[in-house]
Amino acid sequence: MKARVHITLKNGVLDPQGKAIQHALTALDFGGVDDVRQGKYIELDLAETDREKALASVEDMCKKLLSNTVIENYVIEIE
Amino acid sequence: MTWNNNVEITDALVKEHGLSDDEYALCLKILGRTPTLTELGIFSVMWSEHCSYKSSKKHLKTLPTKAPWVIHGPGENAGVIDIGDNQAIIFKMESHNHPSYIEPYQGAATGVGGILRDVFTMGARPIANMNALRFGSPDHAKTKHLLSGVVEGIGGYGNCVGVPTVGGETNFHPSYDGNILVNAMNVGLADQDKIFLSAAAGIGNPVIYVGSKTGRDGIHGATMASAEFTEDTEEKRPTVQVGDPFTEKLLIEACLELMSTDMVVAIQDMGAAGLTSSSVEMASGGGVGFDFNLDMIPQREEGMTPYEMMLSESQERMLIVLKPGREAEAKAIFDKWDLDFAVIGKITETGNLTLRFKGEVVADIPTQPLADNSPEYDRPWVKTPARAFLKPEDVAAPADMKQALLKMIGSPDLCSRDWIWQQYDHQVMADTIQKPGGDAAVVRVHGTEKAVAISTDCTPRYCYADPVEGGKQAVVETWRNLTAVGATPLAITDCLNFGNPERPEIMGQFVGCIEGMKEACIILDYPVVSGNVSLYNETNGTGIHPTPAIGGVGLFTDSSKMVTIAPQKEGEVLILVGETKGHLGVSLYLDIMEGREEGAPPPVDLLLEKKNGDFVRAQINAENIAACHDISDGGLYVALAEMAMASEMGMAVTLDYENVPQHAFAFGEDQARYILSVPADKADAILSKAKAEGVVCANIGRVGGKDFEVNGMSSISVSELLTTHQGWMKDYMGLE
Amino acid sequence: MKSAVIVFPASNCDRDMIVALEKITGHKPHIIWHQDEEIPDADLIALPGGFSFGDYLRCGAMAARSPAIQKVIEHANRGGNVIGICNGFQVLTETGLLPGALMRNKSLKFICKDVNLKVENNDTAFTNAYGQGQVITIPMAHHDGNYFADDETLKELEDDGRIAFRYVDKAGQATAEANPNGSRNNIAGIINRRKNILGMMPHPERLIEDAQGGIDGLGFFESMINAIN
């Protein structure tokens, strides 16, 4: 199975990179971008075939390594 | 997989590989048959300008390369000099111009990685990085992006591997608008009895590949050929080389750990032309052959062909010849550092580079003729026409001296480089005792009283106006900068950046610069021990200014003698060493104030340089001097202002403008000059000693107060100097 | 004082820390490879600066999951002293031994320069050789030193005197201009509740000899000698 993990900064945590991207977009005349939040995208190829088990396992990975739950949120997609 | 090594070698294919008719004929003669595709690729890269130095080597041979302290000169991965106590300093500078223009972050980063490998492959621990950077006009649309990316790339790589980036130079000129220069230098420290060379030896000895896996990075000639032997060309497009400083750091530690044993016979990094040039150099250097099974090469991508594997420029890889039977022991070291380790073949007595792939021999080339019979050209050249001397009277005086000085020190070429240096970890290893911003960077030889001083310099506008004088001046300026901190200059590395050598006027610039460099090296006893040539730096038929960047290295036996450009105490006396004639030809003043680049550059009197420099160094070593600064770009006022800013103390200076107009006195770029700041009770003795030795010296003022005061100019507070000096680059780069 | 320094792949201030500890304590520290599962008896364990595992994923994230770190956690739980400098601080927050996180500098640039630090609490094992409120100069060199913690955590740190060092100007004021990286409350270094663990971004080990430009880092090591011996 394939797992896709999106990691973003929690709301309220300053995102200087997101701010820089927003600034650059404005400089390129892309108006109307109110906010930019950037993050990481991680793709995992899993041997697991059971969807629930895969989700639980990736959830555990996110908590233990892939994200820093002090500042980051994660969203997992399994397919 | 439809790859075919035996495709028909057509004229078009040969041409696309950049081989001339004569070169291809020589290839046929060496092989005694038509090359396979893989062989054609190997000949093509080995005989490229980059690997063979075919346009430049005739002239490079004329440079002085020997001195009693030179252990290895040009020809090895880097130059090696003796610094006593069985220790050696190993150093080299190399260009990464084109990749940095295409992708500034990765281009600069991989430039740093490459030069590090050149140094640690010889057994040295890298102890300092330097760089010489040249960008187009600040107004050019790409300059900001390039500057930002290059600096970030140099920092990103050097900071991660934990080697301090201790300085360098950055200049702007429209001639680099379409072709920036990124020259990276590294200095390493080794024990003299632990220096490793690349010549392979020992029939039957195993040949080992270590480091990163091989991908399709930076394969040039492959672009066209791949269409003929693959189905999915899109996926196989060559990519920009990407640096992995984490792997490089592991590779440094693993290789140094391996080299601390007695297992290594020879070692060579895979730089330009990757596995091809490293294996040919190792085999031909040792007069032996290599027999490789390419199936054993660690590969990052699927379906790689022999052609691609041999030409890949993937980073962070090394080729090692081990003593027989030591494979397991060596592998344990690389396992510890989590790096690939593969036995890919062995040494043979055939003298050939024999490559096997899926059971088939895909190349079998005699390495000695491939390396030794590489083409050498005597390209036609014309001497650069001499320019007329520009009289000081022909350059207008500024309306206001104070505003002129502020404009100068706040200009792109003279302003503070703090914005750049702050992005480099210049203190890691805790031995940096002179940080960026002085005349030369100084790093201690760890655990000893010794230290190494390093400076990179070149004044391309001088080289363009008069290649011979410019070549001399580039060498001399590094020598002067090393002297100004108190070090004894020992040797140089050069990175020769020029335009298209097939144009006689460009070749004339090259020949002229080499001539000037040679003269300077001889008189100063300051040989060239390593270097690199980068040609074809031009866009739309316009070449860059000739830029022979020089990296000079000097030694302190007692690093406590070092001085900086910052006066230490109020009341110190300022002494001007050398004669001021007010030479404004191709000066920064002329450029910044009048937008002109005319006239002849200041002449370099090598004997005078030596006399004045030796005097200054002796005074520093006798501990008579509190601070010293060489006078170069921008002239006397700029140098004085830099000293005031470095110490955050003012000064009161009185100069005699009787024979030279004030603006020429202030901003002229006459050579062989220094400013000394000396304790008041030592000034008279220094002046009389100078007189006795025939060195022109004058007491020009005192350090003290908060203002920078020079006769004939309104006073400027040091804080105003600092604000102006630090303003331009931060504003330009948009620092918050 | 017996000490140990943990070395991760691409640690690069390990030698500087080892040299400083040996010079100041008179004893060569044990050098522990990240895969080692045993740490010899030590009064102090130091996590050095660098780019452990390339700082890939997040600074300090992978180092924080290495076998040796499990032993560091046990050592800390027994009340043993631990310091983390720069990347070591990042590792300590990733393990949860210290609260908060170190994010990308506000300027998005790596910054290497000398900064003024105010000793906010000199009643700790790491700061007792300094005066209360003393302003010292220490070099910093990092890309991700922007200290973040939520309001509640910050309040706890402030109220409990657990802020060891703060970025200040020459006069000792924690101004916005004196904050080099955007850290909340100008925080440069903190300690844990039990006061046996310290993490800080600047590098005291780089400023212990006049030749390096000053000796303001000495007090950091002398404090630990005072506290431990």
Side-chain angles (χ1 to χ4, degrees):
Chain A
M1 306 194 87
K2 196 163 242 176
R4 299 196 172 90
V5 182
H6 296 266
I7 296 166
T8 49
L9 287 169
K10 286 182 176 172
N11 285 332
V13 175
L14 179 72
D15 178 2
Q17 293 169 86
K19 253 177 79 177
I21 295 166
Q22 186 188 11
H23 181 79
L25 288 172
T26 311
L28 290 170
D29 291 333
F30 289 106
V33 180
D34 293 335
D35 193 19
V36 176
R37 307 285 286 171
Q38 56 81 48
K40 285 192 194 80
Y41 170 69
I42 300 172
E43 251 182 32
L44 305 163
D45 275 324
L46 304 172
E48 182 59 64
T49 50
D50 182 290
R51 199 185 150 79
E52 287 310 306
K53 281 185 188 158
L55 185 64
S57 161
V58 176
E59 180 101 30
D60 204 27
M61 291 178 204
C62 284
K63 283 187 189 142
K64 286 192 176 142
L65 178 69
L66 300 181
S67 81
N68 178 348
T69 53
V70 175
I71 47 171
E72 292 170 332
N73 288 323
Y74 56 86
V75 175
I76 303 167
E77 294 168 25
I78 302 271
E79 136 187 332
Chain B
M1 185 67 206
T2 58
W3 182 72
N4 179 7
N5 192 42
N6 298 313
V7 291
E8 191 192 344
I9 306 297
T10 60
D11 288 352
L13 198 53
V14 170
K15 212 176 169 86
E16 282 176 272
H17 276 80
L19 291 174
S20 69
D21 292 348
D22 289 347
E23 287 167 0
Y24 184 61
L26 187 56
C27 163
L28 291 176
K29 195 175 150 208
I30 288 172
L31 288 173
R33 58 177 165 78
T34 305
T36 65
L37 183 59
T38 304
E39 288 169 338
L40 182 66
I42 290 173
F43 272 91
S44 156
V45 293
M46 284 304 296
W47 288 358
S48 68
E49 188 65 57
H50 190 83
C51 288
S52 72
Y53 294 89
K54 57 191 171 190
S55 299
S56 59
K57 64 184 165 190
K58 174 183 186 327
H59 304 283
L60 294 176
K61 285 179 200 160
T62 65
L63 289 168
T65 59
K66 291 190 168 62
W69 52 89
V70 175
I71 298 173
H72 291 292
E76 292 299 336
N77 282 300
V80 183
I81 57 175
D82 182 351
I83 59 162
D85 312 308
N86 188 38
Q87 290 181 306
I89 286 292
I90 301 185
F91 64 100
K92 188 181 181 185
M93 180 155 48
E94 203 164 67
S95 61
H96 226 220
N97 304 336
H98 191 62
S100 301
Y101 187 77
I102 304 294
E103 211 307 296
Y105 184 97
Q106 293 299 344
T110 51
V112 174
I115 199 65
L116 279 162
R117 287 191 294 282
D118 274 334
V119 167
F120 78 75
T121 194
M122 297 193 73
R125 175 167 287 281
I127 60 170
N129 282 319
M130 295 280 283
N131 50 73
L133 310 178
R134 276 159 181 105
F135 298 96
S137 159
D139 304 328
H140 189 270
K142 282 195 122 175
T143 300
K144 194 186 289 192
H145 162 72
L146 292 168
L147 172 62
S148 172
V150 165
V151 168
E152 216 169 310
I154 289 170
Y157 207 99
N159 298 345
C160 180
V161 295
V163 178
T165 301
V166 293
E169 52 172 353
T170 306
N171 291 116
F172 301 90
H173 190 279
S175 80
Y176 308 107
D177 279 350
N179 200 125
I180 62 170
L181 302 184
V182 174
N183 298 169
M185 175 173 173
N186 182 264
V187 178
L189 173 68
D191 286 338
Q192 288 178 23
D193 55 6
K194 279 280 180 193
I195 291 171
F196 292 83
L197 304 179
S198 62
I203 306 304
N205 278 353
V207 184
I208 316 292
Y209 169 119
V210 299
S212 292
K213 292 182 182 1
T214 296
R216 293 190 175 91
D217 318 50
I219 301 168
H220 308 295
T223 346
M224 49 80 220
S226 58
E228 301 183 30
F229 54 74
T230 80
E231 288 149 332
D232 48 347
T233 48
E234 188 53 35
E235 269 295 294
K236 292 196 174 182
R237 269 218 325 262
T239 50
V240 172
Q241 303 155 44
V242 172
D244 179 358
F246 171 55
T247 298
E248 179 99 338
K249 169 67 174 166
L250 304 186
L251 199 55
I252 293 174
E253 299 305 331
C255 287
L256 290 178
E257 192 173 324
L258 180 74
M259 290 190 277
S260 71
T261 70
D262 64 347
M263 290 184 252
V264 179
V265 176
I267 178 166
Q268 170 81 19
D269 69 300
M270 297 189 216
L275 191 53
T276 290
S277 68
S278 54
S279 53
V280 171
E281 278 166 38
M282 291 183 89
S284 70
V288 296
F290 278 166
D291 191 331
F292 288 166
N293 178 359
L294 296 179
D295 301 324
M296 303 306 291
I297 302 279
Q299 294 160 47
R300 201 178 66 217
E301 299 174 56
E302 280 176 29
M304 288 193 67
T305 65
Y307 182 100
E308 290 171 326
M309 282 188 254
M310 292 309 290
L311 267 57
S312 163
E313 294 195 344
S314 289
Q315 302 288 299
E316 293 94 21
R317 303 177 300 160
M318 312 285 281
L319 201 58
I320 301 170
V321 175
L322 283 183
K323 288 185 182 166
R326 309 294 290 273
E327 293 91 327
E329 224 177 312
K331 184 170 186 299
I333 293 174
F334 288 87
D335 284 349
K336 172 187 162 189
W337 292 100
D338 215 3
L339 293 166
D340 270 305
F341 177 101
V343 179
I344 61 167
K346 61 178 192 299
I347 297 189
T348 65
E349 53 197 353
T350 63
N352 283 15
L353 178 64
T354 309
L355 305 176
R356 297 168 199 277
F357 178 67
K358 298 189 192 297
E360 180 197 353
V361 172
V362 293
D364 196 16
I365 307 175
T367 59
Q368 207 89 45
L370 174 61
D372 296 350
N373 298 356
S374 68
E376 174 176 332
Y377 296 130
D378 183 3
R379 299 220 186 257
W381 58 277
V382 293
K383 195 168 184 291
T384 305
R387 289 198 196 171
F389 169 68
L390 184 70
K391 289 189 296 235
E393 296 75 27
D394 294 340
V395 180
D400 180 297
M401 286 299 290
K402 172 179 167 174
Q403 293 311 320
L405 176 60
L406 289 173
K407 187 167 179 186
M408 296 278 288
I409 63 164
S411 69
D413 276 328
L414 291 173
C415 72
S416 164
R417 269 80 178 110
D418 281 357
W419 182 87
I420 295 175
W421 298 325
Q422 284 187 1
Q423 296 185 55
Y424 303 151
D425 188 340
H426 44 259
Q427 288 163 303
V428 62
M429 299 182 95
D431 281 317
T432 305
I433 58 173
Q434 179 142 181
K435 296 180 206 169
D439 280 333
V442 183
V443 292
R444 290 186 297 195
V445 175
H446 190 68
T448 73
E449 290 184 353
K450 292 184 288 192
V452 178
I454 315 158
S455 179
T456 61
D457 295 286
C458 181
T459 313
R461 61 182 190 279
Y462 294 176
C463 296
Y464 183 66
D466 184 336
V468 178
E469 289 304 308
K472 277 189 216 170
Q473 198 273 344
V475 173
V476 159
E477 193 172 340
T478 64
W479 189 88
R480 217 158 48 211
N481 280 326
L482 299 175
T483 295
V485 298
T488 303
L490 291 180
I492 63 171
T493 180
D494 57 27
C495 190
L496 307 172
N497 309 273
F498 289 80
N500 180 353
E502 293 161 41
R503 289 167 51 204
E505 65 275 21
I506 300 288
M507 202 58 210
Q509 293 172 347
F510 184 81
V511 172
C513 284
I514 293 279
E515 175 59 29
M517 288 168 56
K518 180 182 86 180
E519 286 175 34
C521 290
I522 290 171
I523 302 277
L524 301 173
D525 208 2
Y526 191 41
V528 180
V529 296
S530 59
N532 157 252
V533 179
S534 170
L535 301 175
Y536 299 97
N537 289 290
E538 54 180 65
T539 328
N540 303 329
T542 311
I544 57 162
H545 268 12
T547 312
I550 306 294
V553 171
L555 180 69
F556 288 94
T557 49
D558 177 358
S559 61
S560 70
K561 302 275 178 75
M562 180 195 81
V563 298
T564 69
I565 69 167
Q568 301 294 301
K569 288 195 179 77
E570 300 234 342
E572 283 172 7
V573 169
L574 295 164
I575 293 174
L576 172 60
V577 180
E579 228 180 321
T580 303
K581 294 178 178 164
H583 194 108
L584 287 172
V586 277
S587 64
L588 272 187
Y589 177 85
L590 194 66
D591 178 21
I592 294 166
M593 301 302 290
E594 307 218 332
R596 292 197 279 158
E597 200 178 306
E598 293 165 19
V604 178
D605 179 338
L606 293 165
L607 294 172
L608 182 67
E609 288 285 354
K610 187 158 167 53
K611 183 165 74 170
N612 290 0
D614 288 348
F615 172 77
V616 166
R617 191 179 321 103
Q619 291 303 313
I620 295 171
N621 284 318
E623 297 181 83
N624 290 333
I625 309 283
C628 176
H629 193 9
D630 103 296
I631 302 176
S632 55
D633 273 353
L636 176 62
Y637 278 26
V638 168
L640 286 166
E642 286 167 348
M643 293 178 83
M645 290 187 282
S647 62
E648 295 188 39
M649 279 191 282
M651 54 178 61
V653 172
T654 309
L655 298 164
D656 174 8
Y657 308 122
E658 203 171 312
N659 301 314
V660 179
Q662 188 187 350
H663 66 294
F665 206 111
F667 303 115
E669 295 180 358
D670 308 87
Q671 301 291 296
R673 294 184 302 160
Y674 302 80
I675 303 160
L676 311 177
S677 184
V678 308
D681 59 353
K682 294 200 167 155
D684 287 343
I686 293 170
L687 290 167
S688 34
K689 178 103 172 116
K691 196 168 178 190
E693 293 187 13
V695 173
V696 175
C697 270
N699 177 337
I700 58 167
R702 271 177 186 270
V703 173
K706 289 182 163 22
D707 294 321
F708 181 75
E709 296 181 69
V710 184
N711 60 320
M713 181 181 81
S714 326
S715 156
I716 313 176
S717 71
V718 175
S719 63
E720 186 177 1
L721 286 177
L722 280 166
T723 307
T724 308
H725 188 57
Q726 291 167 352
W728 185 83
M729 199 170 286
K730 285 182 193 169
D731 291 346
Y732 179 67
M733 297 311 299
L735 197 72
E736 46 195 292
Chain C
M1 185 174 86
K2 284 175 290 182
S3 59
V5 176
I6 315 278
V7 181
F8 303 100
S11 287
N12 64 29
C13 304
D14 45 333
R15 189 186 79 177
D16 303 351
M17 180 57 78
I18 291 162
V19 168
L21 283 169
E22 183 173 7
K23 184 181 163 78
I24 300 163
T25 68
H27 301 285
K28 200 170 167 54
H30 297 290
I31 298 165
I32 312 298
W33 183 235
H34 71 116
Q35 285 170 331
D36 291 352
E37 293 185 9
E38 287 305 321
I39 296 179
D41 180 42
D43 304 305
L44 170 76
I45 297 178
L47 309 184
F51 285 71
S52 57
F53 296 91
D55 275 354
Y56 297 155
L57 189 62
R58 283 183 315 279
C59 301
M62 290 187 263
R65 277 81 185 167
S66 61
I69 284 295
Q70 293 315 309
K71 297 293 155 184
V72 174
I73 294 171
E74 289 169 20
H75 167 89
N77 288 342
R78 288 192 301 267
N81 289 294
V82 179
I83 55 171
I85 307 296
C86 200
N87 195 223
F89 186 13
Q90 294 161 344
V91 175
L92 288 174
T93 59
E94 280 282 344
T95 59
L97 285 172
L98 289 173
L102 281 314
M103 300 179 50
R104 183 58 45 101
N105 292 345
K106 197 175 166 209
S107 65
L108 303 180
K109 303 281 184 204
F110 186 96
I111 304 169
C112 175
K113 65 175 183 181
D114 289 348
V115 285
N116 297 305
L117 299 182
K118 186 175 178 185
V119 179
E120 290 285 344
N121 178 358
N122 75 338
D123 184 21
T124 78
F126 315 99
T127 55
N128 60 68
Y130 297 114
Q132 177 70 20
Q134 186 182 341
V135 176
I136 56 175
T137 303
I138 301 285
M140 65 172 247
H142 59 248
H143 209 157
D144 299 76
N146 180 351
Y147 184 74
F148 173 85
D150 58 33
D151 294 344
E152 201 181 325
T153 308
L154 274 186
K155 184 171 184 316
E156 190 189 316
L157 290 172
E158 294 280 2
D159 292 351
D160 293 354
R162 285 168 51 200
I163 294 170
F165 301 104
R166 222 189 286 272
Y167 301 108
V168 294
D169 61 18
K170 279 182 190 162
Q173 299 302 308
T175 60
E177 293 74 40
N179 187 342
N181 53 23
S183 289
R184 292 198 77 183
N185 294 18
N186 284 44
I187 288 172
I190 58 170
I191 53 177
N192 64 336
R193 282 201 191 106
R194 196 168 166 179
K195 303 196 172 171
N196 61 327
I197 305 173
L198 169 134
M200 66 190 291
M201 289 310 297
H203 290 271
E205 79 279 13
R206 292 188 184 182
L207 215 57
I208 56 169
E209 289 177 64
D210 285 322
Q212 293 164 330
I215 54 168
D216 280 3
L218 271 182
F220 176 71
F221 294 93
E222 286 164 355
S223 298
M224 292 186 281
I225 294 175
N226 294 340
I228 290 167
N229 285 346

